[in-house]
Amino acid sequence: MASYREFHQRSIREREAFWREEAERIHWHRPFAQVLDYSRPPFAKWFVGGETNLCHNAIDRHLGARAEQKALVWISTEVNAERSYTYRELHAEVQRAAAMMQSLGVRRGDRVIIYMPMIPEACFAILACARIGAVHSVVFGGFAAASLAARIDDARPKLMITADGGSRMGKSVLYKSLVDESIRLAQSPPAHVLIFRRGLDPEMPTVAGRDVDWAELAAKQADAQVPCAWLESSEPSYILYTSGTTGKPKGVQRDVGGYAVALASSMERIYCGRAGETMFTTSDIGWVVGHSYIIYGPLIAGMTTILYEGVPIRPDAGIWWKIVQDHKVSVMFSAPTAIRVLKKQDPAYLTKYDLGSLRYLFLAGEPLDEPTHVWIAEALKKPVIDHYWQTETGWPILSAVPGVEQTKIKYGSPSFPVYGYDLQLLRESDASEAGNNEKAVVAIVPPLPPGVMTTVWGDDERFVKTYFTTFAKKLVYATFDWGIRDGDGYYFILGRTDDVINVAGHRLGTREIEEAVNMHSNIAECAVVGVADPLKGQMPLAFAVAKDTSKLGTADGRKHLEKEVMETVDRQLGAIARPRAVHFVTLLPKTRSGKTLRRAIQALAEGRDPGDLTTIEDPNSLEQLKGVLAGP
Ligand code: PRX
């Protein structure tokens, strides 16, 4: 077999031949006429003229060989339930959901916002959208009403699908009432809201004419048969909002054909998941990892996928390993924060269960620190593969690719550029290529491979401006991550170049949090930075200037306003974005042209040297910052 290096080189040098072969992994209703249309850089269209369907590849295609195999296993340690669906049953459920959506007027190209907890019906809804060519936009359940409203106004959905409630650590979270509030705030509300009742909110109010009960509608569509809509490869499959430098989240748009091919390929070459085996991805369906590797990837590969509603330490810290044992999981995918949480628990849980079936543990979403990498690899005695990617890319950018070659794992490194990615480390100053051991911006030379976002929903210009204009001299996709390559060709990711932070694997924009803080009526302005946190990787920390400072002279007064500001953030964005603390100052460190010196603030907050401060307008601001950080 070719070495991975040669394999990667071929994927770039013979790009079209390479992807033509990979495209054979999926079913094409109509073959494509052209592998790649790159006539309008940086927009790439993959498998032009080909017609396919994600739901067909995920379900129908397997009915011949594996109709009675489990496709989806739902395990909830929140409501203590377990249910599984064979491919045949999943096929029926998805057709029912598709017919329900059609009866509510949803047609090809319409958007459907899905705001649901980790329950099978969320998967049915997602796959049903794919089936009929509706564009789903799943919003993470931790986002608050105002965030949801912003997404409603950008996607302008025909329908929203939700549940009465979810549960986290045994506490109910009321989804439906939050959806009601978001619709009150939105300018372009959907005509209908479809609600799956779990019995978690007995008092749930409904709006006549708008709200529709899932079970009632499902009863009318019990034996529905809904054929797959054959979509042109480049038609949109979904929108997934993600944070960037500005306060306004971007709708990452994905295609159909390129995504299906990239996932099918990655399932074999990267994850080494085989049909009939089980994959357990511990993410949430609201994040890209959930889209690609809870739902589409493992199903396209003919695997059984596990949907887990719960946390890693309830009922105890052995729950994930028990799931691995009971369901003979062969591939597992999680995030570094979860491993750091487990590291604090009794290590006996790691040896309590038979993990014989497990081949690999993949980790992504945030930097994996070396001690955590070493700890989990030694505890499991299995290869633990750190791999790096983004919502934008939909599948890995940097990874070991054990399906091609078993390369040595270096702790702390996500190994090498994945095939299809022409990755470069570019110097910020002049876009020239950095040498080994030199920190630079991780960039991808377009055309971007199949599976990667095709544009920003409704805004081609923003796509180009956001991702392709970092370097005036070179048309390249900027990841907004710093990286470095060592002498052996291994890459290391060193954090973001922009104002995005990563809290327990959740990607958040500090600007969004600043806008949320500013919503408090007594806040004049603020700066939010990410500071290192031993468990969550990073936490937001806010520095705010109050309008009325009369009550801030006492510790109690400051505490009171801090609490109110935190509650405002909870309401605007969700508790995941709540700052660790809010410090009050009378001025923020800014340049003479008025730009907040975020990097300097972050350095001070982390106890580092703030670097060059010659452009600062008023050095007093730094003294104040140091004062509040030192405490009373
Ligand atoms: O900064 C990088 C970090 O997470 C960002 C992407 O987050 P998100 O869009 O939520 O997608 C997560 C998909 C796995 C990246 O720009 N990141 C992701 N994986 C790693 C990472 N940082 C270091 N090491 C990783 N393995």
Side-chain angles (χ1 to χ4, degrees), residues 242 288-289 364-367 386-391 481 493 496 502 507:
T242 193
V288 70
V289 174
E366 55 180 315
D386 176 19
H387 63 329
Y388 155 83
W389 47 292
Q390 306 180 307
T391 303
D481 281 301
I493 295 294
R496 298 279 301 195
N502 208 314
R507 174 169 162 182

Side-chain angles (χ1 to χ4, degrees), residues 261-274:
V261 170
L263 291 184
S265 172
S266 69
M267 284 308 301
E268 181 179 326
R269 300 202 183 276
I270 299 177
Y271 298 100
C272 301
R274 300 178 195 136

